[in-house]
Amino acid sequence: MKKLLTWLVVLALLLAPTTMMVAAAGAPVIDTTKKGSLDIFKYDLTAATADGVWTPGSYVSTGVYDKTGVNDVLGNDADAGVLTNGDTVYGYAVKGVEFTYLRVADVSTQTIAGKVQTLYGFAKNDTTAALLAALDMAYTDAVMTDGANTVSYFTSDSIFDAMEAAATANSTTLKNALEDLVAANGGTAMPLTDSYGHTEADELALGLYLIVETKVPETIVGTVTPFFVSLPMTSVDGDEWIYDITVYPKNASAVPTVEKTVREAATSGGTSDEYAKAITASIGDAAEYRVVSKLPPITSKASYLTKYVFTDTLPAGMTHVGTDVTVEIFADDALTDLVATWDADQFTAAVSGQTLTVTVTADGLTELNTSNAVYDDPADTDSGYSGLFMVVKYGATVGATAVLGDTGSTCGVTLTWERTSANYFGTISDDVHVHSFAFDLTKTFSDGDGDVANVKFVLKNTTDGKYIVAALADGVYTVTGYADAEADATVLVPTADGKVVVRGLEADTYAITETETDDGYMLLDSAIEMIITAENADAACTGCLDYALTASATVNGQDVTMTADAGSDNAVVPFSVINYRETPMPDTGENGMKTLIAAGIMMVAASVAVIMVATRRKEADRA
């Protein structure tokens, strides 16, 4: 009898490493009139281990409910937290887990060849047949069958060893089979675990129960291996029967990742294949966004993804380039091993205002969860695209009202995902920055008399070799495009107060050439060289998830202190241009005219004198 009781204890302990079991004390003799109960506490041991609160394998089941050793350590009321969806949890409790139980056998004492033993009697029906198939067993493994051939009796050794072997061979296959079994054969779903990670079932008929984790919230990635619970079971010391069982199933937890990067599109002069967390771009340029999400582990149907949605929100001044979106699946984080390129069957893309929403469809979710493109070995315990990388690409343009300077246009994306437990979801976000700048030129004349309306400039991006085309509104020029020839560039004319303001420039080198000035004043003999440089900031900007850029500038090699724009530092390059008067020519006014007249009279008089002298000589010669 002692050996029998020991095997009943093994029934509970065989749940390790996936389950710890303890129990409340009961009576020393089975009372068949009693009912049993099952309490389950679900804790995130992955997080607890990472935090140093829990050491895997440190807990030894004592056969009793361990408030001090387990519940107070992992479910301390003082450690209340708030989940993404607003729910409160305590300690490392996991809220929103569903367990389903199914009574599969009677506990029965039988005598075989003079040996008295406790066996599990399984009715010979479709449910038992499915269970035996999942455990790679058959009715021939039974130690006896009743006279009517309606019940087969199995030892605890054979049942528990088969469960362990099946889990070792392929836990995913086992989990899926038993999840289907309890769903198809009248299994009873327990209430979702609460803020303390707790759920319970009471008034249970005595017998052997199969317990399967059937729904999990978004953070749970490895559902617990299905396990058996015997009601009643014996205490660890083998001295008494216990009817109220407490179980501490272990789960692995993890979340997907999301990283957003950006680069300037080739259509806007972009030359780099590299994506970055922040770039500079001129107004009118196209930015290419890339979102990379490492998909969370998928290990059984209970951990299937039921929602995967990317929501990209642009700030004012930027606009999504329609719904031209690509979605690809890669097997490696270097994004070189392409597994699949999706089409309209797997995802949808919709733009509403400043928001682009990319939603994985039902077909896409099925592929995520069940594809055998990668995990096709029978020994694989992952399924679908578990742990692979989803890459989403789309574009946006920088608009006229984009924020200039160090603040830039912060463009964020949020991933929302769910598993099988309804109303339990997770979110994770990332953002990038697109920076633009401006210059503020003040035109003056040395004597204060010149007319700025007669002054003209053209602007060239010497880094790209393109002239700037801009639109004028309310005295401010805003970049709208580029031209190859100077003749097609926008002519920049100062306002009445001498201002030339050009907004929407990326960080590059520029030449500002004065092509005309007012009469009597000298043009600049060479173009003004303006260099805007943007480098990584020392700290993340307020309200941002990633580092932005900070800008500096020089004009003709001299440092310039950039000014703010709408509260954003280092946005505008201020400088001035002075025209001096031309070198004065000799006066040709009234006095000059008198001199010329006098000189003319003298020249005429001299001519007359010469003629008269010549005439007299001729007359003298005749005489």
Side-chain angles (χ1 to χ4, degrees):
M1 185 63 179
K2 192 78 170 182
K3 184 176 181 180
L4 172 61
L5 296 178
T6 300
W7 278 118
L8 289 175
V9 173
V10 172
L11 172 65
L13 298 181
L14 279 174
L15 302 178
T18 58
T19 306
M20 299 181 296
M21 298 191 68
V22 296
V29 177
I30 291 180
D31 183 350
T32 58
T33 66
K34 279 193 172 184
K35 298 291 186 180
S37 69
L38 175 64
D39 285 84
I40 298 178
F41 284 92
K42 186 75 166 183
Y43 295 118
D44 184 351
L45 296 186
T46 301
T49 300
D51 292 343
V53 174
W54 190 261
T55 301
S58 63
Y59 182 78
V60 178
S61 176
T62 62
V64 295
Y65 170 74
D66 195 342
K67 179 179 183 299
T68 302
V70 182
N71 292 68
D72 285 351
V73 174
L74 298 175
N76 194 327
D77 290 4
D79 296 328
V82 179
L83 300 179
T84 304
N85 63 359
D87 290 338
T88 299
V89 294
Y90 296 95
Y92 295 91
V94 179
K95 186 175 181 179
V97 177
E98 178 189 85
F99 289 93
T100 299
Y101 61 85
L102 178 66
R103 188 177 183 276
V104 294
D106 294 320
V107 181
S108 175
T109 301
Q110 300 292 331
T111 302
I112 304 174
K115 295 180 180 179
V116 179
Q117 51 195 295
T118 299
L119 301 173
Y120 294 108
F122 290 80
K124 298 183 73 173
N125 55 31
D126 291 343
T127 301
T128 299
L131 175 59
L132 293 177
L135 299 181
D136 195 24
M137 296 181 70
Y139 285 115
T140 55
D141 294 316
V143 295
M144 65 171 287
T145 301
D146 69 346
N149 196 30
T150 59
V151 179
S152 292
Y153 294 90
F154 294 81
T155 65
S156 60
D157 287 3
S158 62
I159 295 295
F160 302 148
D161 288 349
M163 177 74 85
E164 184 177 23
T168 301
N170 191 302
S171 62
T172 296
T173 299
L174 175 67
K175 291 174 184 178
N176 286 340
L178 296 184
E179 287 170 20
D180 288 343
L181 185 147
V182 296
N185 292 279
T188 301
M190 300 171 68
L192 297 179
T193 53
D194 60 17
S195 296
Y196 295 93
H198 175 250
T199 186
E200 62 181 338
D202 55 15
E203 294 298 310
L204 298 176
L206 302 185
L208 183 66
Y209 286 82
L210 172 65
I211 313 297
V212 180
E213 193 170 20
T214 46
K215 291 181 181 179
V216 296
E218 74 284 357
T219 59
I220 297 302
V221 299
T223 52
V224 66
T225 300
F227 56 93
F228 292 110
V229 170
S230 180
L231 294 177
M233 64 173 287
T234 54
S235 59
V236 170
D237 57 18
D239 291 339
E240 56 187 346
W241 292 99
I242 51 180
Y243 300 83
D244 302 307
I245 311 299
T246 298
V247 184
Y248 297 96
K250 300 177 183 179
N251 273 124
S253 65
V255 297
T257 65
V258 64
E259 180 186 37
K260 183 175 183 179
T261 51
V262 63
R263 68 181 181 184
E264 187 178 357
T267 54
S268 297
T271 58
S272 175
D273 291 332
E274 297 295 324
Y275 288 87
K277 297 303 296 181
I279 64 168
T280 70
S282 298
I283 289 175
D285 282 353
E288 292 182 354
Y289 293 113
R290 183 181 73 180
V291 176
V292 179
S293 175
K294 183 177 182 180
L295 296 162
I298 303 164
T299 58
S300 73
K301 291 182 179 180
S303 66
Y304 279 180
L305 294 167
T306 59
K307 182 177 183 179
Y308 219 72
V309 177
F310 298 92
T311 304
D312 186 274
T313 303
L314 295 178
M318 297 196 70
T319 306
H320 283 106
V321 184
T323 56
D324 185 12
V325 177
T326 63
V327 177
E328 299 170 313
I329 307 295
F330 289 86
D332 61 323
D333 58 2
L335 307 181
T336 58
D337 186 1
L338 179 65
V339 175
T341 299
W342 279 8
D343 56 29
D345 291 335
Q346 283 84 28
F347 75 96
T348 61
V351 174
S352 177
Q354 296 299 105
T355 300
L356 167 68
T357 302
V358 180
T359 303
V360 177
T361 64
D363 287 347
L365 290 169
T366 298
E367 187 172 336
L368 285 184
N369 294 322
T370 65
S371 171
N372 60 2
V374 177
Y375 303 107
D376 57 355
D377 189 312
D380 288 330
T381 56
D382 288 310
S383 65
Y385 291 149
S386 174
L388 272 59
F389 297 85
M390 177 179 285
V391 178
V392 183
K393 296 178 182 178
Y394 46 90
T397 55
V398 184
T401 58
V403 176
L404 304 183
D406 289 357
T407 298
S409 297
T410 304
C411 311
V413 65
T414 297
L415 167 64
T416 302
W417 79 99
E418 294 180 4
R419 293 195 188 263
T420 51
S421 189
N423 301 321
Y424 287 85
F425 62 89
T427 61
I428 188 171
S429 300
D430 195 22
D431 58 27
V432 295
H433 302 268
V434 178
H435 300 267
S436 296
F437 307 96
F439 72 74
D440 183 346
L441 181 160
T442 301
K443 174 67 182 181
T444 61
F445 296 94
S446 60
D447 58 4
D449 289 337
D451 186 353
V452 294
N454 296 323
V455 178
K456 296 179 181 178
F457 295 93
V458 292
L459 175 63
K460 183 179 183 181
N461 183 323
T462 56
T463 303
D464 295 337
K466 301 286 187 179
Y467 288 91
I468 302 299
V469 177
L472 178 64
D474 299 325
V476 175
Y477 290 94
T478 300
V479 176
T480 58
Y482 307 91
D484 292 324
E486 181 177 340
D488 297 321
T490 297
V491 176
L492 309 175
V493 178
T495 59
D497 57 356
K499 290 287 188 180
V500 176
V501 177
V502 179
R503 296 173 59 89
L505 301 172
E506 60 189 298
D508 268 331
T509 299
Y510 294 88
I512 305 166
T513 303
E514 187 178 43
T515 58
E516 294 184 27
T517 188
D518 198 15
D519 293 344
Y521 294 89
M522 291 188 296
L523 286 169
L524 297 179
D525 65 348
S526 60
I528 302 166
E529 182 188 64
M530 179 183 69
I531 302 175
I532 302 175
T533 304
E535 299 176 330
N536 287 334
D538 293 331
C541 64
T542 302
C544 302
L545 299 174
D546 278 290
Y547 291 95
L549 300 178
T550 187
S552 60
T554 62
V555 173
N556 284 343
Q558 296 186 7
D559 292 338
V560 174
T561 300
M562 297 180 72
T563 59
D565 179 78
S568 176
D569 294 335
N570 299 317
V572 182
V573 183
F575 61 97
S576 61
V577 174
I578 302 175
N579 281 163
Y580 289 89
R581 291 178 297 171
E582 288 280 10
T583 301
M585 298 293 292
D587 289 337
T588 56
E590 182 180 352
N591 292 334
M593 288 299 296
K594 291 179 179 179
T595 302
L596 289 173
I597 293 172
I601 293 173
M602 292 176 65
M603 290 176 64
V604 171
S607 298
V608 171
V610 170
I611 294 172
M612 291 178 66
V613 170
T615 302
R616 287 175 181 169
R617 284 180 179 176
K618 288 180 179 180
E619 290 178 351
D621 290 338
R622 290 191 190 104

